[in-house]
Each structure stands twice: as C-alpha cells, then as structure tokens.
Amino acid sequence: MSKFLGPIAALVLASGPGVAVAQSQSLTAPAAVAPARSIHEEGFVRIGGIEQWITIHGDDRSKPVILMAHGGPGNPMTPYANPYFKAWEKDFVIAQWDQRAAGMTYGRNPPAEGERLTVQQLRDDGIEVATHLTRHLGKPRLILMGGSWSSILGTHMAKARPDLFYAYVGSSHLARSADNLTASYDRTLSLARAAADQDAIGKLESMGPPPWTNPRNFGISRRITRKYEAARTDPAPAEWIARAPAYATPKALADYEGGEDYSYIEFVGMQGEGMYSTTDLYALGPKFELPVYVILGEQDLVSTPEVARAWFDTLQAPDKAFVLLPRTGHDPNPAMAAAQLEILKTRVLPLIGKTD
C-alpha cells in the first residue's frame, strides 16, 4: 500500500544506535499555547498499553492540528514527512504517529509471537492518540487525514469519535475489500492484455481472480499496478523518498523493514484471512457526523475510482466532496498533495471556529 522531519526538540536522548528521540515527557506535559511559537516535538507516548512514536511539527503551535494516519499498515510517513509537509507547517501543526507494529513503535515494542493486529485495536490506538493531542496541545478537536490502509483506519476513527475531529480527509480511499480487489484485478489484467504484456498477463492469470489464499499474490499484483500507474501518472519528487537522518540508521531501517513485513502479513493474512479481508466500510453505515472529503487519482489501480465513488455516494454528512485527480495513481504525488492542501484550506479551515 502507499508509503506515505524538521528540527528536533532540544531535549533529546540516544535510544539505540544512532537514533535520536525526544524525551517522552515533552509530549505528555501540559502544553502552553502561545501564538507565533513553533513546535517541534518527537518522542514516545504510552498509547494502548505500549509506547508509540509521535511527532508534532508546526511553525505556529496555535494553528489547527492535523493528525495524519499512515498507510501500509506498516509504512509510517515520519521518515519522509519533511519534504511533503514542510509547506503545510505555516498554516497547520502536523502530528503523526508510527502505528502499533510499525516503524519506531515496532522497534520499541516488537509484537510477541502470535500477536495479531486488528482494525479495532488500531482504531482505539488512533482515538487515544487524538485524545492525547487535544489535551497536550490545548485543542478542542483535530483534523483527521488518512490514505490507502489508513483510509480504512481513518473511517473507523471518524465514525467512532466524530467529536474529536473537525473533518475527515481520506485519499486513495478503499471501501470494501471484495469490490476493491476484484476491480483492481480486472482493470489491471485488461491493461496488461491491451499492452500484450505477457509477463504481467502470465502472473495475473496464474494467480487467478481474488479472493486469494496465497499471501504473495497481493504483493505481486501491487508491483504490476505500480508499473501501469507509473506510465500514466506524474511521479513524486525524489526528495519525498529521502529519509531524515534519524530514520536512516541501521537500527531505524531494520525496525522499519521489520514492521513493514509483519504488518503486511497481518493485513493480507497467510491464507487471505488478514485485516483487509473483512474490510467493508458500507457496514459502518452511511451517516457521518462530521464533514468527509475524499481525494482519488484517476489512474488508481488499487482503490479504483468507481469503487470509491460508489461508497462515497452513499454517505450522509454535514459536508462532503469527492475530488478526482488526473495523472495521479494510488501513491501520493504533487497533484495529490496540492488537492489535499486545497481541501484543507477551502473546506476545512472555514469550519474551525464555527463549530467550537
């Protein structure tokens, strides 16, 4: 799934070889909100019974806070966030967390043998993170953003605790695994046949249409969808995938890879029974008590536009919008980032103040 830092707080400690982390106290002590005062904090906070990695960056701590949930589920954006979000930090405070079994959180708390990931546990973690941030930063609510895997997570969080969020902005949005997998397979196979791409045709026909019981099939399919998306989309800048130094140490790289591998299996399952197999956002009901905005690439071969749109059209919300972007696929690119920021400035910011 999609992969989605600036100066670190002055109080830092060494935690493992070459990894700099802010003291946990810097994220748990009461915050004094001061206009025009920047905030740059990184550290572990006890969430869901374990220490989880949270980062907070902004030029002005009085600005609205965005809680950005990462994709994967094992692909935190924290190593790459500075180039993507730096321009946003003038108008917003950007808060992220490495989810359970991902990134820095995985390194601090490797899952026990047989420990499972569930949407419900990750949803509850996310709600606890959001509650912590409102208290720590003195905010009545946050803006919630998610994409790809975290479009599932974000929708569950928004439905469970709409009182914590001004709005939910979801990108590369999934809806129901059976619909998403079937549409992705059919559309990708059609493109491969049109291109007489015998390698892709052979792989796709060999695995057959979903549902799949081989955990490798999802990864094989994703590599093929990325190839066809790349031919029809504008790429992300190279700087977007350059890791910040604290996330490029041998330990940090090993932790990221370990969390990615573990979370992938939990997502797809060893026999197709992972978290994704039970995804059905329709089952949560159509009524949302907060605005919902969905941004999708026309060339997305994972969360195809027709599947996302069919789900979106059922939603009842105080405000909603569906934005379809040309030359954009499942992974973020400049058009995606620009559309996200446009929605935040034109649709979400006007809500803040009116609803508090």
Side-chain angles (χ1 to χ4, degrees):
M1 309 299 283
S2 65
K3 297 183 178 180
F4 255 68
L5 270 174
I8 298 177
L11 291 174
V12 295
L13 297 172
S15 176
V19 179
V21 300
Q23 295 187 60
S24 297
Q25 290 90 330
S26 66
L27 291 181
T28 55
V33 178
R37 181 177 159 198
S38 66
I39 180 168
H40 298 286
E41 297 180 355
E42 304 187 347
F44 289 101
V45 175
R46 194 158 187 85
I47 298 292
I50 64 171
E51 288 190 311
Q52 301 198 32
W53 183 253
I54 295 177
T55 69
I56 307 171
H57 291 280
D59 293 346
D60 182 345
R61 65 191 304 150
S62 71
K63 297 293 186 180
V65 179
I66 298 171
L67 173 55
M68 184 72 207
H70 67 71
N75 300 131
M77 288 181 65
T78 43
Y80 318 102
N82 185 264
Y84 197 96
F85 289 124
K86 188 60 182 175
W88 299 26
E89 291 177 12
K90 178 172 65 72
D91 299 300
F92 302 94
V93 173
I94 309 298
Q96 299 189 78
W97 103 98
D98 288 13
Q99 295 162 25
R100 182 180 297 263
M104 303 286 270
T105 300
Y106 176 91
R108 190 79 154 200
N109 312 272
E113 183 70 28
E115 186 176 345
R116 301 272 72 90
L117 281 181
T118 68
V119 174
Q120 292 73 25
Q121 175 69 76
L122 291 163
R123 175 203 64 197
D124 292 348
D125 284 352
I127 289 169
E128 192 172 342
V129 169
T131 302
H132 164 76
L133 289 169
T134 60
R135 293 171 180 167
H136 176 58
L137 298 173
K139 304 292 185 181
R141 292 187 237 185
L142 315 174
I143 302 162
L144 177 62
M145 294 188 67
S148 191
W149 143 252
S150 60
S151 70
I152 301 169
L153 175 60
T155 302
H156 278 264
M157 290 170 61
K159 286 288 289 187
R161 289 295 307 273
D163 57 302
L164 283 173
F165 307 108
Y166 292 108
Y168 164 60
V169 182
S171 306
S172 306
H173 218 290
L174 298 159
R176 183 159 50 199
S177 59
D179 298 345
N180 285 118
L181 286 168
T182 298
S184 175
Y185 179 86
D186 290 347
R187 188 167 172 186
T188 306
L189 182 56
S190 176
L191 289 169
R193 286 172 173 165
D197 183 347
Q198 297 305 319
D199 179 65
I201 293 168
K203 288 174 179 175
L204 291 168
E205 289 184 342
S206 177
M207 70 175 67
W212 299 310
T213 56
N214 184 341
R216 292 172 56 85
N217 285 353
F218 188 91
I220 293 169
S221 173
R222 185 65 187 113
R223 284 190 288 274
I224 298 171
T225 60
R226 274 204 172 102
K227 180 174 91 170
Y228 280 96
E229 287 183 359
R232 294 164 173 79
T233 62
D234 298 322
E239 66 173 1
W240 282 16
I241 55 173
R243 288 173 173 266
Y247 298 90
T249 66
K251 175 172 169 47
L253 292 169
D255 290 342
Y256 194 99
E257 183 177 352
E260 186 173 38
D261 290 347
Y262 174 85
S263 298
Y264 173 81
I265 292 299
E266 291 299 302
F267 185 70
V268 302
M270 289 301 294
Q271 296 184 321
E273 81 291 6
M275 292 189 294
Y276 191 36
S277 67
T278 59
T279 293
D280 183 359
L281 299 187
Y282 289 91
L284 298 177
K287 186 173 177 58
F288 281 73
E289 297 179 19
L290 77 175
V292 176
Y293 307 107
V294 171
I295 303 167
L296 208 81
E298 284 184 350
Q299 303 301 324
D300 194 327
L301 292 175
V302 177
S303 46
T304 56
E306 65 272 18
V307 173
R309 184 73 201 222
W311 171 74
F312 175 84
D313 285 345
T314 69
L315 302 187
Q316 304 162 20
D319 188 37
K320 68 176 191 174
F322 186 94
V323 180
L324 193 61
L325 303 174
R327 296 199 58 78
T328 302
H330 192 70
D331 294 330
N333 69 356
M336 177 74 76
Q340 290 170 331
L341 190 56
E342 180 73 10
I343 284 286
L344 289 167
K345 287 185 172 181
T346 63
R347 302 295 283 262
V348 180
L349 280 183
L351 300 171
I352 299 173
K354 293 181 181 178
T355 54
D356 290 339

